[in-house]
Amino acid sequence: MSLEDLRNQTFPLKAKEDWKDKAEESLKGKSVEFLKSSTYENIVLEPLYSRGDEKHLSEYPGGSDFRRGINPLGYVTNDWRIAQRVSYKNAGELKDKLQETTGKGQTALSFEVSKNLWEIEGTLIDLLGNLPKDIPFAINGKGLQKTLLEELAGACNAEQLSGYVANDPLSLFAEEGIISEEFFSEWLKGIKLANEKLPNLRTVLINTSSYHHGGANAVQELGIAAATGSFYLQQLLESGIKLEEALTKMIFQFSIGSNFFMELAKLRAARILWDKITKVYGAEAEDRGMQIAAETSLFTKTVYDPHVNILRAGNEAFAAVVGGVQYLHVTPFDDVTGSSQLSERIARNTQNILKDESHLRTIVDPAGGSWYIEALTTELAEKAWHYFQEIEAKGAMLEVLKSGWLKDEISTVHTKRMQDIFTRKQSIVGTNVYANLAETVAPAKEIIADNYFENGHSTIKINAITNTRLSEPFEELRKISQRIKGRLGSNPAIGMICLGERKQYKPRLDFMKGFLAAGGMRVAESESIISLETAKQFILNQDTKYFCLCGTNDQYESIGHDILAGLNQEFSDRKFFLAGLPEKEMRTQWTNEGIKQFIHLNSNCFETISLLLTEMEVAIDEVSKA
């Protein structure tokens, strides 16, 4: 074939139906419906998206409903700010670290505020020292916001200060389980003061991280953000602040989880909702753009195998940037146990890599036009709008917090998430899968709440939304295993009675090793067992009372029943399990023969190991007392 012939070569056009036929052929007759999956937002993800699935396509970044960003040229002209929250033990260390980090890529002043710091060590102005005057703030002031704003209002360059020193009273109420009318009133006074003295500083935070870390899904986060933003906007207008000024005071904060495309779409959908709400209030297009501060989620981070957190945070930061944020904090990989100089440097440089090596600041809206992302964005926005309307119908944010409805809604999703973690349908590398028994770690740092409302006179107690991490239950199991190890000298074990040849029992043996390691347990592996006598000898040599038959279904039927019967007769105090799940009609027989539990792919890993460890610890206590 000549070069000219190659140039003129064409391929027949294929329709979606052609793809479905090919897909079903590879699925051996199963329908492509089998490839669909459902998210925690009750969104059904299709196996393939094509032109037309996007439903709505914004014309360009900076226009239409702002889903593609609030600036026409994206980060090319308006770069996102590296807003790493600086850790510190005292004011002196904070001052030194702020000076150091601004010379190493930090482009916003950010740190966690603390009662102790401000009550003992002086003013915010003292801390800023000789820092560059044009670097914006990125601070969640929490209950100390009014104090910080009063100090900043006295600075000689107060009118030039930018960024945000903001607070979200509703999220504080949700976290601490108290609603304070006095606090809310003082917060509003601080906002009005800042509006006069600090015109370029944003002071009203809509912080959905509190709900995210309670287990909320993306639809709930978006609905809450819309309801909270609407609530605050109404409060500002009623206090006499003009609409255009009120909008310049507001900034939204989102935590970014591990579902890359969902989190990316969440940020795009958030801008759609805010555009729609502010349009109803009569805001001009130039005032309707949403400012977003994001942080990589602490909900997804682990104590064990902490270096995997680098990958998790990198994935989440990537989603945040492509989603179009203005400020970003990346969680250091060991933040759960107390960040180090190395982890803070890696976290900060993650953003520098995204800027300079991944070139994300030179491409305008790289996600724009993706059929999948556009479809997901639209569906998220529609569901979140309905959720926002549901909150409003129940009396708005204050009322759904008071009634406990919002807490119950989030708890339902959190329970689903935990069930998937417990059954390992969702993997946490280094925790519920691929756990390393040799790993020792520092305990998670204790977070002590500042209790901003403890002295309030007009407080209302509500059901708090507790901040958690997905890996915590398994980390608790590892603590129990460590306690047992401290008393026995080794990790708690289950003896594996391996039936047949190694190639026959190895797949299930490997499964059991991974299953038990999630709770800090080890396996005591037998040699190849084909007779009752070798099985007896193996049990006599072990110092555990828990054993598991491990082999193929054929081995179970050919020699397993006889061996189990003999072992039960000889060792009546031992407990026996079986790796795998036999056919339904065979389970009753195995149970009658003494099998306590079948351990298989769909087993609740957390529940199974929890019961085992509890029994073991109780048994050790009884021996100690005797």
Side-chain angles (χ1 to χ4, degrees):
M1 183 180 291
S2 68
L3 182 60
E4 190 63 28
D5 290 335
L6 282 173
R7 286 173 177 168
N8 294 328
Q9 188 77 21
T10 60
F11 296 92
L13 292 175
K14 296 293 182 182
K16 197 168 185 176
E17 288 302 316
D18 297 318
W19 173 83
K20 284 182 64 177
D21 292 340
K22 274 294 182 184
E24 289 178 352
E25 182 181 318
S26 66
L27 290 170
K28 298 180 180 178
K30 289 182 180 178
S31 168
V32 290
E33 300 294 312
F34 175 75
L35 298 177
K36 289 184 178 181
S37 60
S38 183
T39 72
Y40 294 112
E41 293 76 15
N42 292 321
I43 292 175
V44 176
L45 300 180
E46 300 287 339
L48 179 70
Y49 288 83
S50 57
R51 189 181 300 277
D53 288 327
E54 70 271 18
K55 298 179 184 178
H56 175 94
L57 185 60
S58 182
E59 296 175 2
Y60 53 86
S64 187
D65 55 15
F66 298 106
R67 74 176 62 203
R68 298 191 64 186
I70 60 175
N71 298 303
L73 293 179
Y75 297 132
V76 175
T77 54
N78 293 274
D79 201 0
W80 82 86
R81 296 287 182 168
I82 297 177
Q84 291 296 126
R85 284 197 296 275
V86 173
S87 65
Y88 58 90
K89 294 184 179 68
N90 53 59
E93 182 182 10
L94 174 58
K95 185 174 183 178
D96 292 341
K97 290 182 81 170
L98 286 173
Q99 191 73 49
E100 177 186 2
T101 55
T102 52
K104 293 183 176 180
Q106 183 100 349
T107 54
L109 302 177
S110 185
F111 51 88
E112 196 79 36
V113 299
S114 162
K115 269 188 177 182
N116 293 334
L117 178 70
W118 303 108
E119 288 176 354
I120 298 172
E121 302 286 355
T123 69
L124 182 58
I125 303 300
D126 296 333
L127 285 172
L128 297 181
N130 298 320
L131 289 170
K133 305 301 181 185
D134 59 342
I135 295 183
F137 290 99
I139 297 174
N140 180 352
K142 298 183 179 178
L144 301 174
Q145 183 202 21
K146 189 167 180 287
T147 301
L148 302 182
L149 293 176
E150 287 171 347
E151 292 179 4
L152 290 174
C156 59
N157 63 333
E159 292 186 357
Q160 298 173 356
L161 297 179
S162 62
Y164 68 93
V165 179
N167 179 35
D168 179 350
L170 292 179
S171 74
L172 282 183
F173 296 162
E175 281 185 27
E176 297 198 16
I178 293 177
I179 290 176
S180 169
E181 294 178 8
E182 291 174 332
F183 182 87
F184 194 81
S185 177
E186 288 299 305
W187 170 79
L188 199 54
K189 289 179 183 177
I191 302 304
K192 295 181 73 173
L193 167 70
N195 191 44
E196 297 173 5
K197 303 290 186 179
L198 302 158
N200 294 312
L201 199 66
R202 293 180 183 267
T203 51
V204 180
L205 184 66
I206 296 90
N207 179 21
T208 65
S209 293
S210 302
Y211 313 100
H212 171 93
H213 290 122
N217 63 32
V219 168
Q220 290 171 329
E221 288 181 59
L222 290 169
I224 291 167
T228 304
S230 179
F231 178 83
Y232 288 153
L233 184 55
Q234 190 63 39
Q235 296 294 317
L236 296 179
L237 294 176
E238 290 176 2
S239 71
I241 299 177
K242 295 180 180 179
L243 176 62
E244 59 272 20
E245 287 182 330
L247 293 174
T248 64
K249 298 302 169 189
M250 304 177 79
I251 185 163
F252 291 74
Q253 178 169 312
F254 292 96
S255 284
I256 309 300
S258 58
N259 188 336
F260 181 86
F261 292 108
M262 184 66 71
E263 297 299 310
L264 193 166
K266 179 174 79 178
L267 297 175
R268 303 172 98 241
R271 290 193 291 269
I272 296 173
L273 297 180
W274 192 234
D275 174 70
K276 190 171 183 176
I277 290 170
T278 52
K279 190 181 293 183
V280 170
Y281 275 93
E284 298 295 331
E286 60 268 22
D287 299 319
R288 298 201 302 266
M290 174 189 275
Q291 288 276 321
I292 299 176
E295 61 181 14
T296 59
S297 174
L298 196 62
F299 188 62
T300 61
K301 303 306 179 289
T302 63
V303 168
Y304 287 93
D305 209 350
H307 291 98
V308 179
N309 290 334
I310 299 174
L311 304 179
R312 296 185 181 111
N315 174 71
E316 293 160 4
F318 202 132
V321 172
V322 177
V325 302
Q326 280 65 55
Y327 298 86
L328 179 59
H329 164 76
V330 175
T331 309
F333 70 81
D334 56 0
D335 190 66
V336 179
T337 56
S339 61
S340 59
Q341 186 176 3
L342 172 65
S343 66
E344 290 171 4
R345 178 186 174 194
I346 290 173
R348 184 174 60 248
N349 284 341
T350 296
Q351 298 201 53
N352 288 322
I353 289 170
L354 291 175
K355 282 177 185 277
D356 299 322
E357 296 187 29
S358 298
H359 303 291
L360 288 186
R361 65 175 167 186
T362 62
I363 302 170
V364 181
D365 186 29
S370 162
W371 298 322
Y372 171 39
I373 293 173
E374 295 294 355
L376 191 56
T377 298
T378 299
E379 190 164 1
L380 258 184
E382 290 171 352
K383 283 182 173 289
W385 182 257
H386 291 308
Y387 199 77
F388 161 61
Q389 290 178 315
E390 192 173 359
I391 293 173
E392 293 297 296
K394 293 182 181 297
M397 278 298 295
L398 264 178
E399 291 305 315
V400 296
L401 287 174
K402 287 179 183 178
S403 68
W405 176 83
L406 189 60
K407 160 78 172 178
D408 292 342
E409 286 277 298
I410 292 173
S411 294
T412 298
V413 179
H414 184 267
T415 299
K416 291 179 182 177
R417 292 185 190 275
M418 297 314 299
Q419 187 65 20
D420 287 344
I421 296 300
F422 290 167
T423 57
R424 306 201 303 172
K425 290 179 182 176
Q426 293 290 329
S427 300
I428 306 177
V429 174
T431 300
N432 71 348
V433 296
Y434 307 120
N436 178 9
L437 291 182
E439 183 180 15
T440 58
V441 298
K445 64 184 179 184
E446 184 180 1
I447 299 175
I448 302 174
D450 274 329
N451 297 321
Y452 298 111
F453 317 119
E454 56 191 355
N455 298 319
H457 300 296
S458 55
T459 57
I460 302 170
K461 289 195 173 183
I462 61 173
N463 293 324
I465 296 174
T466 307
N467 284 193
T468 60
R469 291 180 295 106
L470 284 170
S471 61
E472 283 183 276
F474 281 98
E475 290 165 4
E476 288 301 314
L477 293 183
R478 296 286 287 271
K479 286 181 184 178
I480 298 173
S481 289
Q482 285 299 309
R483 287 203 302 267
I484 295 174
K485 181 180 179 181
R487 301 173 74 174
L488 297 181
S490 62
N491 289 81
I494 287 187
M496 303 303 298
I497 301 171
C498 302
L499 304 180
E501 298 179 10
R502 184 169 183 79
K503 65 181 180 181
Q504 294 172 310
Y505 64 73
K506 187 177 186 303
R508 279 181 171 151
L509 174 64
D510 289 342
F511 165 76
M512 289 299 299
K513 285 180 178 178
F515 186 93
L516 294 171
M521 298 184 70
R522 64 182 176 87
V523 301
E525 178 183 345
S526 75
E527 297 295 329
S528 176
I529 289 177
I530 57 174
S531 69
L532 176 59
E533 290 306 313
T534 53
K536 285 181 180 179
Q537 190 58 48
F538 170 68
I539 289 178
L540 287 171
N541 292 333
Q542 303 306 314
D543 56 4
T544 180
K545 291 186 176 182
Y546 300 87
F547 294 87
C548 182
L549 295 183
C550 183
T552 63
N553 292 343
D554 289 341
Q555 290 295 327
Y556 290 159
E557 293 306 312
S558 62
I559 61 175
H561 293 287
D562 292 337
I563 288 177
L564 178 61
L567 293 177
N568 270 318
Q569 186 174 358
E570 184 81 16
F571 306 102
S572 59
D573 62 334
R574 306 305 201 268
K575 290 191 175 182
F576 295 97
F577 306 92
L578 186 139
L581 187 65
E583 294 296 328
K584 190 173 183 179
E585 58 271 14
M586 297 301 299
R587 291 176 213 164
T588 302
Q589 180 183 348
W590 281 109
T591 302
N592 292 337
E593 291 173 351
I595 291 296
K596 300 299 182 185
Q597 188 172 347
F598 304 101
I599 301 177
H600 50 90
L601 281 171
N602 294 322
S603 292
N604 187 314
C605 182
F606 173 79
E607 188 178 273
T608 301
I609 296 175
S610 182
L611 289 172
L612 282 169
L613 291 176
T614 300
E615 282 187 24
M616 289 179 176
E617 200 162 32
V618 168
I620 293 171
D621 288 339
E622 289 176 351
V623 171
S624 298
K625 289 176 183 178

